[in-house]
Amino acid sequence: MTVCNMSIEGGAQCGYVNPDATTAGYLFGRKYSPEPGEAFAKARDDWFSLASDVDAEFDDYFELKGEEIEPMMTWGINPGESIGVNGKIPENAAKEALEYMEFAAGQEIIGEPINVAFIGSCTNGRITDLRAAADLIKKHGLRVAPGVKALVVPGSEQVRKQAIAERLDEIFVKAGWEFREAGCSMCLAMNPDKLKGNQLCASSSNRNFKGRQGSPTGRTMLMSPASVVACATRGCITDVREILN
Amino acid sequence: MNSKESIIDHVAGKAFHLPGNDMDTDRIIPARFLKCVTFKGLGVNVFKDDRAKLEGKHPFDLPENQGRSILVVDENFGSGSSREHAVPALMQYGIKAIIGLSFAAIFRGNAVGNGLVCVEVTPKQHEHILIMLADHPLCDVEIDLANMLIELGPFIQEHPDMTPCSMPDSHRKMLTTGEWDSLATALEAGPLIEETAARIPYMAAVVA
Ligand code: SF4
């Protein structure tokens, strides 16, 4: 889902992952899925028929090894303006983005103090995201740093119910996070969840455009839910692997 | 009302440039203005935060640009959120057509659905148009969708300044036949609408 969602931010008209056993496993026994048994098997075969043929030709191939990718975050005002957490902002960075974000070309982002931490959005507000975040908090006894406002907003009502059933909400609340009603929340700030002034937000949402999080001068750094937890804990931009190891 | 009346085969007006790549829809119309039931009143808030910051010096506020209806933009205009509101916000300000290096796909789809013309030009052609506009800011600009040409002028009658432009064929067809206006196109079905409605259980009561 995250990959599909972010493909669009990369300019794609469609982001797609071939249906496979994981897809079928996810859909099996769900409320609106065909009944387990013959009906499900028929639907599954139909879904699988949509997958690209083994000999399908593509215009281009990229092979990425997930474990080799450094935790990525944005430093600018569109999702493409991103670097590894230990990297430096490019020397040729767009002036407009630097001015808005109050960063300098060539500077590191690690250690940059944050004001708000947001886990949520349709891109990164699934039960698996909430589990990963809660797991990290529990395993390492993490607490939100003083002065940081930290929000967890499930991506849907279903996710929220599931999280409560798994008592993830208790883990978050105990660690100093607000566990909120499901919705878009700080992804686009149409409700009162907004940045104030030029606050800096570590956010698991998908868009970091100027003013996106409700303040015309508010600053957003996009990153994974696990990275948001790390930043909330230290109160600054942090490499989550430091906590894991 | 029929789709013939909605035919858009050319747009004429004066033009101005809004420099900058990747103008996302959050900038075109910030999210806090989206809580409207109809699209009325979006126009005054177009580029609200960018304009506030530039205190009157934003191209949308410069006195000489008032009343100009053709916008020249750079690359990837309308990227980001798929908010349709960005299109009516621009149109209510008075924009009738946009000439750009490239457009974000969703923005462009929303544009055609609202009858806003978006045409693409190559970097060379873009540069040419900007130079012409810098030299002749008040020249007439006409976008001819029948021939996919942008005419600047009038200069020397025998040698009109023509620049080719492009847009997806399907969009051009929708604009030049009036089919972009989905309501008008639907209304052309006439009595078929009521016949169909009568067959739909939850509509039958309303029709009868
Ligand atoms: S505003 Fe809501 S639906 Fe849109 S990208 Fe953000 S979380 Fe997803």
Side-chain angles (χ1 to χ4, degrees), chain A residues 121-122 184 187-188 206-207 212:
Chain A
S121 87
C122 56
C184 299
C187 178
L188 92 164
N206 50 9
R207 290 171 177 148
R212 174 73 182 186

Side-chain angles (χ1 to χ4, degrees), chain B residues 93 101 113 176 187:
Chain B
Y93 172 90
L101 285 167
T176 53
L187 287 176

Side-chain angles (χ1 to χ4, degrees), chain B residues 9 15 21 23 45 55 57 65 70 77-78 90 92 104 111 120 125 135 149-150 154 163-164 184 186-187 194 204:
Chain B
D9 51 13
N21 296 332
M23 286 285 173
N45 295 317
E55 296 173 340
K57 302 215 174 60
N65 290 343
I70 297 178
F77 187 81
L90 288 160
Q92 286 169 21
E120 265 171 6
Q125 294 160 347
D135 290 347
L149 287 171
I150 301 169
T163 305
L187 287 176
E194 294 203 348

Side-chain angles (χ1 to χ4, degrees), chain A residues 76-92:
Chain A
I77 53 171
N78 70 53
E81 290 171 335
S82 61
I83 49 175
V85 60
N86 295 296
K88 290 188 170 126
I89 295 177
E91 288 295 343
N92 61 354

